[in-house]
Amino acid sequence: MDTSRGRMTRDGIRLYEDGDFAGMHAAGRMAAQILDEMADLVVPGKTTAEIDQVITDRVEELGAKSATIGYKGYKHASCISVNHVVCHGVPGSKVLKDGDILNIDVTVIVDGWFGDTSRMYVAGKLPRKAERLIQVTHDALMKGIEAVKPGNTFGDIGHAIQTYVEGNRMSVVRDFCGHGLGRVFHAPPNVLHYGRSGTGPVLEEGMFFTIEPMVNLGRPETKVLGDDWTAVTRDKSLSAQFEHSVGVTADGFDIFTLSPADKFHPTYK
């Protein structure tokens, strides 16, 4: 249960206080730092389990706690989603091949605050169609973030993402969404990556949540595999995702999970 101070909106969304932003920055920065360090490990021949083990070790070395180990029985410090895996890919024996693209998602707990972020990587040479998918997904996230300010709505965030993605003839996944966080891993609201402007709860200063659009080159439909975790595109098209944790400020937004080494984009843009 979230026992932090602050009040709730009528939609059940917690409003955090000014001093809470520092805690979120510390957690977000650590998660982003760990992902920065993974850039040199994503190479052909490496297994996703090997990458996850390094992440597990780094979380411990940095004095933090993994939010995902033990979460609903999950056993890993990361989700690693390769090619047509949309999200929640389970690290294992899969060997990365030249041209594979992958999302690595990490959440750490630092002094009770949750830092949640994910980004795309490429093993070897980046294929042209994957490059365009990654760029559109990255830019869609940033357009969603730019819609964050008091008085706007969560529908404005989703609308900004959806119109940009569909304008580039790609599709937004509907089956998964962003979420509130802070001193809890998942909390209201659900942050949809599609929608109509002016709909949904109104953004207020002190809200903390993730924005994490998943974009497919093909159709938006997904299915979950037999492990009850791994979600894939139904048409086997490539999928990409980027995620930041953000807070609503008096006049806009604050990104908690900025890359310390400026490596959030796989080509370091």
Side-chain angles (χ1 to χ4, degrees):
M1 178 179 294
D2 189 347
T3 57
S4 62
R5 296 173 296 165
R7 62 186 180 86
M8 306 281 281
T9 71
R10 65 181 183 181
D11 298 295
I13 304 170
R14 179 166 294 283
L15 300 178
Y16 288 90
E17 299 181 343
D18 288 348
D20 297 331
F21 279 72
M24 288 299 289
H25 270 290
R29 182 179 177 86
M30 185 179 293
Q33 174 189 334
I34 291 170
L35 290 187
D36 282 352
E37 295 171 2
M38 295 308 105
D40 292 337
L41 292 180
V42 178
V43 294
K46 188 74 69 175
T47 69
T48 55
E50 289 173 326
I51 296 170
D52 179 72
Q53 186 60 56
V54 174
I55 293 171
T56 303
D57 293 343
R58 285 299 286 148
V59 172
E60 182 176 353
E61 290 164 3
L62 292 168
K65 181 179 178 182
S66 168
T68 54
I69 294 177
Y71 179 77
K72 296 184 178 180
Y74 196 73
K75 299 178 180 179
H76 305 278
S78 66
C79 294
I80 302 180
S81 304
V82 183
N83 292 335
H84 72 289
V85 178
V86 174
C87 61
H88 303 158
V90 180
S93 59
K94 180 175 179 57
V95 177
L96 297 178
K97 303 186 302 296
D98 185 61
D100 281 346
I101 62 169
L102 55 151
N103 175 277
I104 303 180
D105 190 339
V106 169
T107 306
V108 298
I109 309 171
V110 178
D111 295 329
W113 296 100
F114 285 70
D116 187 2
T117 184
S118 80
R119 67 181 75 158
M120 296 300 295
Y121 300 81
V122 58
K125 183 176 175 56
L126 180 59
R128 179 66 188 95
K129 65 177 181 179
E131 181 179 20
R132 183 167 174 270
L133 169 66
I134 288 170
Q135 189 66 54
V136 168
T137 307
H138 172 273
D139 293 349
L141 166 64
M142 300 314 295
K143 289 184 180 296
I145 291 174
E146 288 167 5
V148 174
K149 64 178 181 179
N152 278 2
T153 68
F154 282 95
D156 293 329
I157 298 172
H159 180 74
I161 293 169
Q162 180 184 5
T163 54
Y164 181 75
V165 170
E166 293 179 353
N168 280 277
R169 300 184 299 282
M170 299 178 193
S171 63
V172 176
V173 170
R174 265 72 164 174
D175 298 334
F176 302 94
C177 61
H179 53 88
L181 83 170
R183 286 194 174 274
V184 291
F185 195 176
H186 296 99
N190 288 332
V191 183
L192 304 182
H193 304 117
Y194 60 94
R196 292 185 295 113
S197 295
T199 63
V202 175
L203 295 164
E204 296 184 46
E205 183 179 359
M207 289 180 173
F208 296 166
F209 50 87
T210 70
I211 305 177
E212 46 185 295
M214 289 141 275
V215 176
N216 298 343
L217 269 181
R219 294 184 55 81
E221 292 83 8
T222 70
K223 64 178 180 180
V224 177
L225 302 184
D227 61 10
D228 291 329
W229 285 105
T230 307
V232 300
T233 55
R234 282 191 173 273
D235 61 6
K236 299 296 177 69
S237 63
L238 286 177
S239 186
Q241 179 186 20
F242 284 89
E243 174 185 14
H244 269 317
S245 296
V246 302
V248 183
T249 64
D251 57 1
F253 58 85
D254 191 1
I255 301 176
F256 301 129
T257 46
L258 291 172
S259 164
D262 197 24
K263 293 183 177 181
F264 186 66
H265 191 288
T267 56
Y268 309 156
K269 295 180 181 177

